[in-house]
């Protein structure tokens, strides 16, 4: 275990590098204009330090690359699938593994298999693709996370916790028959990579199971959550990451996994199911949308790297350094007075755009504008997690105006150094120092689904009111 009283360093050395290029401010101004002020539409070549996402952007280890050479590219029954299946069973304990090309394919399948028209799905805060698949299957997501999760400045060690009274109220209101499952994420992405405690997860699992309701686990960042349980939850300080991860999974019936995060691979995921009948249905479905049930859209070599990544993800020195780098960046930014989400979470530093740009109305998308401004300043790419990501309320059609209006600086695993973090912090602080001059944005193109990926915007001057920009306010704030 690293000694906390002394400096510590990444538990690896670098043996292959990819050059990155710094552009001029004028080049970046033109790039962001071409990208419609959406950092998703920038070309990666025009980015200096890429903190858009930690999804599929991590560096694989030498062992994972060696595994890539061992790909068994048979259409059916690839050896690599069985290695992946063994790794999932060993580490997480789920009985059946249905491979998918990435996480949202698993979300699609479980939503289609379990949700009926008019059902409700309680969860600890929405995630964009998860909620959309629930809605497309005829369901309605209901947020049952604790209130603190929606308050960026409030300190709470487990902001990913479920408010048990809220969950009980949903069960009382709709009845267990209309709740196919409770959807619980570990390391909740949309509120800043915040963990759920084992104590709370156990209570949720008990409540669901007593009512005959399944528990579906979005386990995308379960190892990161486990680290914070080890550090913050009573009685877990001496338990291993592997042990904590297993204790979490044992509380749940089904899991969806985007291996592009915890598993340190560039593509891949799976649906894991304990019930054999449900697994058969999922296997029958995967052949329609993804590929045979022994590859599910991945190459054999991808499954091999994934299997190795599962074991690497629960290595303490890895996960400690991974989250430690996020905290290094977060403290550096916060020490300069920049408002961020507290506590600092696991996979990124989340800037609080409402407090950063209080003069920009939420319907002029302050977080989107701030992400664009940081890019122009330094070539650092981040992403909006606020009113654009949240989308429109299906009933009112208005922007959802979530309480959290955030810019996410997301750290790929094992990719950037401490010097890169210093550059990022310097840029954010410089933008903070001239924040009064930053205005908002308005849509020029708004796609129907997951609009944050492909929307385009144009700037409106600082001080513009939404109504002057032709925007009528319809939706009421949601929590
Ligand atoms: C919490 C969470 N769930 C699900 C997904 C969806 O996974 P994928 O992007 O692999 O489809 C993501 C991806 O960002 C995520 O962060």
């Amino acid at each position: 275990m690293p000694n906390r009283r002394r400096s510590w360093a990444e538990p690896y050395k670098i043996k292959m590098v990819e050059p990155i290029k710094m552009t001029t401010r004028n080049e970046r101004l033109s790039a962001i204009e071409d990208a419609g002020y959406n950092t998703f539409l920038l070309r990666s070549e025009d980015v200096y330090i890429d903190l858009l996402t930690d999804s599929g952007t991590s560096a694989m280890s030498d062992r994972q690359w060696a595994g890539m050479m061992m790909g068994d590219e048979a259409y059916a029954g690839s050896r690599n699938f069985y290695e992946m299946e063994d790794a999932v069973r060993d580490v997480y304990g789920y009985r059946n593994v249905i491979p998918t090309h990435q996480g949202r394919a698993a979300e699609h399948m479980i939503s289609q298999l379990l949700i009926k028209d008019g059902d409700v799905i309680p969860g600890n805060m929405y995630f964009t693709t998860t909620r959309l698949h629930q809605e497309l299957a005829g369901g309605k997501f209901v947020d049952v996370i604790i209130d603190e999760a929606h308050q960026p400045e409030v300190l709470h060690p487990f902001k990913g916790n479920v408010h048990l009274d809220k969950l009980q109220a949903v069960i009382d209101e709709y009845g267990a028959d209309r709740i196919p499952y409770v959807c619980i994420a570990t390391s909740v992405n949309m509120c800043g990579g915040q963990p759920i405690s084992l104590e709370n997860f156990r209570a949720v699992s008990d409540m669901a199971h007593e009512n005959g309701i399944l528990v579906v686990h979005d386990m995308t960042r379960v190892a990161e959550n486990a680290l914070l349980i080890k550090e913050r939850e009573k009685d877990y300080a001496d338990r291993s990451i592997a042990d904590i991860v297993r204790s979490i999974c044992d509380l749940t019936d089904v899991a969806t996994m985007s291996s592009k995060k915890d598993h340190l691979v560039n593509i891949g995921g799976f649906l894991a199911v304990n019930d054999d009948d449900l697994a058969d249905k999922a296997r029958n479905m995967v052949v329609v949308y993804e590929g045979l049930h022994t590859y599910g859209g991945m190459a054999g070599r991808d499954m091999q790297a994934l299997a190795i990544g599962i074991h690497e993800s629960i290595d303490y020195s890895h996960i400690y350094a991974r989250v430690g780098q996020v905290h290094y960046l977060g403290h550096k930014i916060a020490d300069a007075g920049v408002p961020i989400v507290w506590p600092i979470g696991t996979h990124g530093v989340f800037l609080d755009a409402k407090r950063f740009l209080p003069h920009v109305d939420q319907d002029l998308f302050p977080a989107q504008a701030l992400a664009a401004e940081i890019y122009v300043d330094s070539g650092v790419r981040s992403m909006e997690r606020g009113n654009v990501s949240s989308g429109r309320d299906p009933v009112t059609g208005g922007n959802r105006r979530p309480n959290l209006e955030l810019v996410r600086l997301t750290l790929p695993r094992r990719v950037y150094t401490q010097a890169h973090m210093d550059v990022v912090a310097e840029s954010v602080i410089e933008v903070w120092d001239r924040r009064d001059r930053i205005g908002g944005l308005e849509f020029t193109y708004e796609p129907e689904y997951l609009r944050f990926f492909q929307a385009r915007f144009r700037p409106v001057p600082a001080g513009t009111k939404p109504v002057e920009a032709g925007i009528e306010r319809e939706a009421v704030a949601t929590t």
Side-chain angles (χ1 to χ4, degrees), residues 158-312:
F158 292 105
K159 276 185 164 181
N161 279 359
V162 168
H163 194 303
L164 296 172
D165 294 344
K166 285 190 195 175
L167 178 57
Q168 186 62 59
V170 177
I171 298 173
D172 293 344
E173 182 179 348
Y174 295 95
D177 290 353
R178 287 180 61 195
I179 305 176
Y181 58 88
V182 180
C183 186
I184 302 297
T186 31
S187 193
V188 182
N189 192 347
M190 298 303 283
C191 62
Q194 303 291 335
I196 177 171
S197 71
L198 254 171
E199 184 189 20
N200 183 259
F201 211 146
R202 203 168 286 121
V204 171
S205 172
D206 287 348
M207 189 183 285
H209 290 145
E210 276 158 21
N211 285 280
I213 298 169
L214 294 175
V215 179
V216 173
H217 176 200
D218 179 345
M219 63 180 297
T220 297
R221 298 181 184 82
V222 65
E224 296 179 2
N225 195 119
L227 177 77
L228 297 188
I229 288 178
K230 185 175 171 67
E231 293 188 342
R232 297 179 187 169
E233 191 163 354
K234 200 169 134 291
D235 299 334
Y236 291 96
D238 296 328
R239 300 263 299 271
S240 68
I241 299 297
D243 195 11
I244 298 172
V245 163
R246 185 57 181 268
S247 303
I248 295 172
C249 295
D250 283 350
L251 299 171
T252 69
D253 307 288
V254 173
T256 55
M257 181 56 161
S258 169
S259 294
K260 299 170 74 173
K261 285 80 167 177
D262 255 9
H263 296 162
L264 302 145
V265 288
N266 305 119
I267 195 73
F270 54 80
L271 177 67
V273 182
N274 284 334
D275 182 83
D276 293 338
D277 291 339
L278 184 59
D280 280 343
K281 288 188 183 136
R283 280 192 199 98
N284 197 219
M285 196 171 191
V286 80
V287 294
V288 180
Y289 292 102
E290 297 284 292
L292 196 72
H293 59 280
T294 55
Y295 74 85
M298 281 181 281
R301 54 183 172 271
D302 297 329
M303 293 189 282
Q304 190 62 32
L306 196 163
I308 296 167
I310 289 177
H311 291 287
E312 291 186 3

